[in-house]
Amino acid sequence: MIAVTKSYEETFDFGRILGRVLKPGDVVALDGGLGSGKTCLCAGICRALGVKDVVTSPTYTIVHEYEGVFPVYHIDAYRISGAEDFEASCGSEILCGGNVCLVEWGGRIASCLPPNTIYVEIKISGGGAREITVNGIDVEY
Ligand SMILES: Nc1ncnc2c1ncn2[C@@H]1O[C@H](COP(=O)(O)OP(=O)(O)O)[C@@H](O)[C@H]1O
Ligand SMILES: [Mg+2]
């Protein structure tokens, strides 16, 4: 499905809608340029999953772990150079098991992503709008 959002708040709210249909074991890979809204969408997803912390970009730490209704891992793969580096930085076991895993720049670790991965692609269009394409899960929007 494709959603068009026109502000930070609308993208956050779309993240909440997506977050409500996630279950433990789900991996969400987000791609789109710098500033397209990946972290904003992840913050909305985390809100829906009961995370109380303020969600910030894991750009430098690579991975943030949040406590929600189940653990939520938020990864920024921008500086990860492939499967080996991902294994060393995060450990591939975080992509399975009883948690949800959100991966910004998921394309950079494409070979590590499981077959059930949910793909989110964000395109910046004019006037602050974002075109958000979701594949791998049904979302009512
Ligand atoms: N429709 C929109 N959705 C999300 N963010 C938007 C939108 N329009 C403008 N913005 C701005 O774009 C930026 C998105 O930042 P962020 O979520 O950190 O992006 P990314 O993680 O993809 O680099 C924020 O500064 C936000 O205010
Ligand atoms: Mg980001």
Side-chain angles (χ1 to χ4, degrees), residues 48-71:
L49 294 175
V51 173
K52 299 276 188 282
D53 296 356
V54 174
V55 172
T56 55
S57 177
T59 311
Y60 298 104
T61 47
I62 307 219
V63 55
H64 285 165
E65 183 184 355
Y66 295 108
E67 269 317 312
V69 287
F70 28 78

Side-chain angles (χ1 to χ4, degrees), residues 5-8 11 33-41 104 128-130:
T5 62
K6 298 202 166 73
S7 66
Y8 182 94
T11 300
L34 267 178
S36 59
K38 299 180 295 299
T39 300
C40 169
L41 196 68
E104 296 190 35
R130 301 290 189 269

Side-chain angles (χ1 to χ4, degrees), residues 31 34 40 65 77 87-88 93 120 122 128 136 139:
D31 281 284
L34 267 178
C40 169
E65 183 184 355
E87 178 62 51
E93 67 279 357
V120 176
I122 309 179
V139 188

Side-chain angles (χ1 to χ4, degrees), residues 1-7 10-12 14-15 18 30-31 36-37 40-41 119-125 129-135 141:
M1 60 84 65
I2 298 180
V4 175
T5 62
K6 298 202 166 73
S7 66
E10 283 187 19
T11 300
F12 184 94
F14 180 70
L18 175 56
L30 302 101
D31 281 284
S36 59
C40 169
L41 196 68
Y119 289 93
V120 176
E121 173 83 38
I122 309 179
K123 287 202 189 99
I124 302 181
S125 40
R130 301 290 189 269
E131 190 184 290
I132 305 170
T133 305
V134 180
N135 282 299
Y141 183 66

Side-chain angles (χ1 to χ4, degrees), residues 27-40 42-43 46 55-66 72-82 85-91 94-95 100-110 112-113:
V27 175
V28 182
L30 302 101
D31 281 284
L34 267 178
S36 59
K38 299 180 295 299
T39 300
C40 169
C42 288
C46 285
V55 172
T56 55
S57 177
T59 311
Y60 298 104
T61 47
I62 307 219
V63 55
H64 285 165
E65 183 184 355
Y66 295 108
V72 182
Y73 289 98
H74 181 197
I75 296 166
D76 190 331
Y78 187 66
R79 297 186 310 139
I80 294 179
S81 58
D85 191 16
F86 174 68
E87 178 62 51
S89 318
C90 303
I94 75 173
L95 291 178
V100 161
C101 204
L102 312 174
V103 190
E104 296 190 35
W105 300 99
R108 296 189 60 81
I109 58 159
C112 305
L113 298 172

